[in-house]
Amino acid sequence: MTEPINVVVTGAAGQIAYSLLYQLAVGSVFGPEQPINLRLLDIELMMNVLQGVVMELEDLALPLLREILPTADPAVAFKDADAAFLVGAMPRKQGMERKDLLAANVNIFKDQGEALDKFARKDVKVLVVGNPANTNALICSHYAPSIPKENFTAMTRLDQNRAQALVASHLGVQVDQVKNVIIWGNHSSTQYPDVTHATVNLSKTGKGVISVPEAVKDNEWLNGEFVSAIQKRGAAVIAARKMSSAMSAAKAAGDHMRDWFNGTKDGQWVSMGVVSDGSYGIPKDIVFSFPVTIKNKKFSIVQGLEISDFSRSKLNITAEELGEECKEARQVLKP
Ligand code: NAX
């Protein structure tokens, strides 16, 4: 019999968690044979709401779901954690300065990093969803020095899924026929969705597998409207729904963790915010989204992709923003 793994979800009373928890419980992330213990972390104020989520989880009557532990104590939540979805973060309130938002989040992710360091398994896989996701992941890793920095990642998979879906609909093909779209940089409006190396399967029209730019035949659209639509997609969802993306964010978080545990398919890569090792001239020690392949639960940044002058200028913009965020975060953390 397979032993259950301990899976932490923070912000467990929030809207992304509400969609994510079902995916975890039904087995679509860790597989239909892998039982899980859920550790649900939220703030004290949300414990009543969280109790309602626990009731619903129980009422799912799903056999893979073993223990369910709601708590406001990171020490309890992260005990022996195998995987952690750090979804909870301080939202931006009206009139709040960007700096104040960063300061509030830096402190949350410092505390959670310290708790992971003390209580989690040393091979725990941490996915930061809460914004600013890249910098939060960096802070968290910094305060968990006993855990390899490769075990901390930030989510840009929603951006990847959005880009893949938009290209597919533009070309009138099914979404799974588009592969190897890349998100570079920050999960923010400076991110660079890049389809230069992406392919599309047009065998239905007899053209076979060709590059996306060749299929689209409109570089002006790809470098302009397309990039900006993906950068602003989150804001467009908020404008329409009056709430931020939740169902699609939860699906992307599941995709990210599933690929991390199970590996990527041959010839395919996915985008993840990871601590930069200097690849593609990106400064080291910022969490930057790169294309990666994954094997045996370890990712490798895809090497050797050609970067055009246009792409380089986009990479520089998003790297600069991340450098600034890091600087500001460090100022907050100064004793
Ligand atoms: P909600 O406001 O619905 O839920 C957030 C939950 O986090 C709340 O229940 C809150 O009490 C809890 N929380 C706050 N501080 C906490 C702490 N210190 N420990 C544990 N829990 C804490 O937000 P939701 O829509 O679920 O979004 C969560 C985060 O995801 C936000 O930061 C949001 O900006 C971010 N997103 C990131 C995306 C990405 O692609 N990386 C996309 C979707 C989303 O915008």
Side-chain angles (χ1 to χ4, degrees), residues 17-317:
Y18 193 74
S19 285
L20 175 62
L21 290 170
Y22 175 71
Q23 291 182 60
L24 298 173
V26 82
S28 56
V29 178
F30 297 105
E33 306 295 332
Q34 178 61 64
I36 61 169
N37 295 323
L38 277 179
R39 313 282 192 237
L40 307 178
L41 182 71
D42 211 293
I43 53 176
E44 203 59 61
L45 200 68
M46 296 302 282
M47 284 302 112
N48 266 343
V49 176
L50 189 55
Q51 204 48 54
V53 175
V54 171
M55 286 187 237
E56 285 207 61
L57 283 166
E58 287 166 355
D59 298 348
L60 292 174
L62 285 167
L64 288 177
L65 193 48
R66 303 290 160 87
E67 298 164 22
I68 309 171
L69 183 69
T71 179
D73 182 355
V76 173
F78 291 118
K79 177 99 181 72
D80 298 328
D82 293 278
F85 294 85
L86 306 188
V87 181
M90 174 72 80
R92 191 168 189 160
K93 296 186 190 122
Q94 225 179 357
M96 203 176 192
E97 294 286 330
R98 217 178 78 88
K99 274 210 165 104
D100 299 336
L101 178 75
L102 191 75
N105 280 300
V106 161
N107 284 309
I108 291 175
F109 285 84
K110 172 177 184 271
D111 291 349
Q112 294 187 356
E114 286 170 347
L116 279 157
D117 195 50
K118 265 198 207 144
F119 303 108
R121 288 170 53 106
K122 297 304 168 201
D123 61 354
V124 63
K125 306 273 178 284
V126 181
L127 164 59
V128 177
V129 176
N131 280 320
N134 298 49
T135 300
N136 288 343
L138 189 73
I139 303 297
C140 204
S141 152
H142 182 78
Y143 284 96
S146 69
I147 299 171
K149 58 182 191 235
E150 291 74 24
N151 294 25
F152 292 83
T153 59
M155 186 166 96
T156 52
R157 184 60 170 265
L158 175 55
D159 307 297
Q160 177 193 314
N161 289 348
R162 286 166 172 166
Q164 188 181 337
L166 182 54
V167 168
S169 85
H170 189 82
L171 290 172
V173 298
Q174 210 170 281
V175 70
D176 57 349
Q177 302 305 307
V178 176
K179 299 205 163 81
N180 294 347
V181 165
I182 301 171
I183 303 299
W184 300 97
N186 200 1
H187 169 69
S188 77
S189 58
T190 66
Q191 66 174 270
Y192 171 43
D194 175 12
V195 295
T196 319
H197 309 281
T199 60
V200 56
N201 186 346
L202 293 179
S203 29
K204 272 195 183 153
T205 61
K207 289 186 184 154
V209 177
I210 62 171
S211 89
V212 165
E214 200 185 325
V216 170
K217 292 195 208 83
D218 185 353
N219 279 341
E220 205 180 309
W221 182 79
L222 282 176
N223 291 342
E225 219 178 294
F226 167 75
V227 170
S228 128
I230 301 306
Q231 290 174 333
K232 293 182 189 149
R233 182 68 162 183
V237 170
I238 295 177
R241 219 172 77 88
K242 312 295 176 228
M243 283 193 286
S244 56
S245 309
M247 178 173 39
S248 55
K251 152 73 167 52
D255 287 347
H256 178 121
M257 195 63 92
R258 191 194 53 242
D259 287 347
W260 202 354
F261 269 70
N262 291 344
T264 44
K265 292 186 190 130
D266 277 350
Q268 286 189 39
W269 58 65
V270 292
S271 293
M272 277 185 173
V274 304
V275 178
S276 168
D277 62 353
S279 292
Y280 297 99
I282 300 304
K284 282 188 182 173
D285 297 331
I286 54 175
V287 168
F288 192 92
S289 179
F290 287 101
V292 300
T293 54
I294 304 163
K295 215 174 177 182
N296 301 326
K297 298 188 184 165
K298 294 204 183 314
F299 65 79
S300 315
I301 297 174
V302 176
Q303 297 297 329
L305 296 173
E306 208 176 298
I307 305 292
S308 67
D309 289 348
F310 174 80
S311 295
R312 175 55 61 193
S313 70
K314 293 284 182 196
L315 261 62
N316 288 346
I317 292 171

